[in-house]
Amino acid sequence: MKTRSDMRGWQIKRRERTRQLIELGGLVVKAELVELTDDDRALLYGAFLWMADKLRSDQGDHAAALWKRRGKRAFEAEALPDSGPSAIFVAAGAGMLGGAMNALAGGGTFATLPALIALGLPANIANATSNVALLPGAGTSAWAYRNELGPVAGISVRPLAALTFVFGLVGSLLLVLTPTETFDILIPWLLLFAFAVTAFGKRAADWLHARVTIGRPTLLAAQVLLGIYGGYFGGGVGLITTALYGLLANIRPRELFAIRTTMLAVANLAAAFIFIGFAMVWWWACVPMLLGSIAGGWFGALIGKRLSHRAVRVWTLLLTGFTTIIFFVRAYGA
C-alpha cells in the first residue's frame, strides 16, 4: 500500500510538473519568441541564460520588477472584453459628460473612470485611458476660454503651465511605478477639503487675507502639488484647483474657468505622454470617449460663459459633495 501511495503521489507531481512546463512553453509561443528566433533552440537558450544572469546581477531586482510589470499589463490587456456597439456608446456618452463637467467645474474623471471600469478595464488602465480621452476636451475648453486667460495673483500663465506640465510628468510616472491603493485612501479627504474650501472659501479667504500675506511661493507650491495630483490620478483636480485658487488668490469659481481648464489640459497632456509611452491606453474605448469629450468640452464651455456666479457655485458644491460621498464609500465602505 505504501508503494502504491508513493507511486500515486509521484504521478500527481509529474502531471503538475508537465502542466507547468506546457504553460511555460505557451508563454514562449505567446511572446512570439519561436517565430522571432526561427525556432533556433541555441538562440532561445542563450536568451534565457542572459535573463538568468541579469536576475543574478546587481540590477536583478530592477529587471524583475520591470519584466513583471510588463507581463501583468499584457495579461490584463488579454483579459479585457471585446468592444461592441453598446460599449462604444457608453464610452462616447461618458466622454461627452466628462468633457462638459471639466469645462464647467471640473470632475470629468468621475464620469469617465467609473464607466471604463464598468466596461471591464482594470483600474490603472481605465485611469490612463480616461486621462488621454479627456485631453482633447480639456484642450477644446481651454481654447474656448483663451481670451479670458490672465495672471493669477500676479503670476502669469506660463510659469504656472510649466510647473503643471513638469510635475504632471512626475505624477504620471508615480502612477506607472507605484500602486494606487494608498492614494485611494487620500482621495476622499482631498475632495472633502475641496468641498469645505468651496463652501466656505470666501469667508476663509477674507479671514486669511486679513491676517496672512499669501505670496508667489505659496501659490507656486500649490501648483506643484496640483500638477503631481493631476498626473497621478486627476480625479477632482478641477474642483481642488477651484478651491485652492479661491482660498489662496481670493478668486471666484466663475473667474477660474479659463485658468482651470488650461491647467487641466496641461496636466492631461503631460500624463498622456507617459501613459501612451507605457502602453497603458486601451484605444477601442479611448477613441469614442475622446470624440465625446471634444463635443462635451465645447458645449460645456459655451454653457459656462452664460452661467451666473451663483449657478456655478451651486453646481460646484453639488458636484463636489456628491463625488466626496462616492469616494468615501469607495474607500471605506463595505
Side-chain angles (χ1 to χ4, degrees):
M1 292 294 294
K2 184 176 180 180
T3 303
R4 182 178 298 177
S5 176
D6 291 343
M7 179 64 70
R8 181 174 178 80
W10 176 80
Q11 290 175 341
I12 292 175
K13 290 181 179 179
R14 183 178 180 181
R15 283 197 296 267
E16 291 177 351
R17 178 61 174 168
T18 301
R19 183 167 58 250
Q20 181 185 23
L21 292 175
I22 292 173
E23 291 175 352
L24 290 173
L27 292 177
V28 173
V29 174
K30 185 179 293 187
E32 300 182 357
L33 289 176
V34 176
E35 295 178 1
L36 292 172
T37 61
D38 197 22
D39 200 14
D40 188 325
R41 305 300 170 87
L43 177 56
L44 285 169
Y45 189 32
F48 296 148
L49 290 175
W50 174 82
M51 288 180 61
D53 290 339
K54 188 75 171 178
L55 291 172
R56 294 190 191 100
S57 69
D58 295 338
Q59 299 178 340
D61 292 340
H62 175 73
L66 181 64
W67 294 339
K68 184 176 182 179
R69 186 164 59 247
R70 185 165 183 179
K72 287 178 66 176
R73 291 201 188 109
F75 281 131
E76 289 172 350
E78 291 173 2
L80 292 176
D82 294 332
S83 61
S86 60
I88 292 175
F89 178 79
V90 169
M96 183 173 292
L97 179 58
M101 290 170 66
N102 278 342
L104 288 172
T109 301
F110 301 128
T112 56
L113 185 62
L116 291 172
I117 292 176
L119 290 175
L121 278 72
N124 61 336
I125 300 296
N127 185 45
T129 301
S130 170
N131 178 284
V132 175
L134 289 176
L135 174 58
T140 301
S141 297
W143 178 257
Y145 286 124
R146 66 190 183 281
N147 294 328
E148 300 181 22
L149 276 176
V152 178
I155 304 176
S156 66
V157 175
R158 288 185 178 180
L160 292 174
L163 281 175
T164 302
F165 185 83
V166 171
F167 286 95
L169 292 174
V170 173
S172 55
L173 281 172
L174 287 175
L175 177 65
V176 172
L177 298 174
T178 62
T180 60
E181 288 82 0
T182 301
F183 213 73
D184 283 342
I185 302 300
L186 294 176
I187 289 170
W189 296 102
L190 292 171
L191 292 176
L192 181 61
F193 169 75
F195 176 78
V197 176
T198 303
F200 308 105
K202 184 63 170 63
R203 294 179 182 177
D206 292 341
W207 182 90
L208 192 63
H209 292 151
R211 293 164 175 80
V212 180
T213 300
I214 299 175
R216 291 168 58 95
T218 304
L219 190 58
L220 292 174
Q223 195 63 46
V224 167
L225 296 177
L226 288 171
I228 294 174
Y229 178 82
Y232 186 75
F233 178 71
V237 66
L239 303 174
I240 297 174
T241 300
T242 299
L244 281 178
Y245 279 13
L247 179 61
L248 298 179
N250 199 20
I251 305 176
R252 296 186 303 178
R254 173 62 185 83
E255 298 168 352
L256 286 170
F257 278 172
I259 188 66
R260 190 197 65 241
T261 53
T262 300
M263 294 304 110
L264 179 64
V266 171
N268 279 12
L269 178 63
F273 280 113
I274 301 299
F275 295 151
I276 293 174
F278 281 85
M280 295 182 67
V281 179
W282 198 245
W283 291 104
W284 72 261
C286 182
V287 171
M289 183 169 282
L290 182 151
L291 296 175
S293 75
I294 293 176
W298 182 259
F299 285 115
L302 293 179
I303 295 171
K305 289 182 177 181
R306 292 168 172 79
L307 289 178
S308 65
H309 166 66
R310 179 178 177 80
V312 173
R313 176 176 170 79
V314 170
W315 165 260
T316 304
L317 285 173
L318 288 175
L319 182 60
T320 311
F322 177 74
T323 51
T324 299
I325 293 172
I326 292 297
F327 271 85
F328 264 108
V329 172
R330 177 174 176 267
Y332 299 102

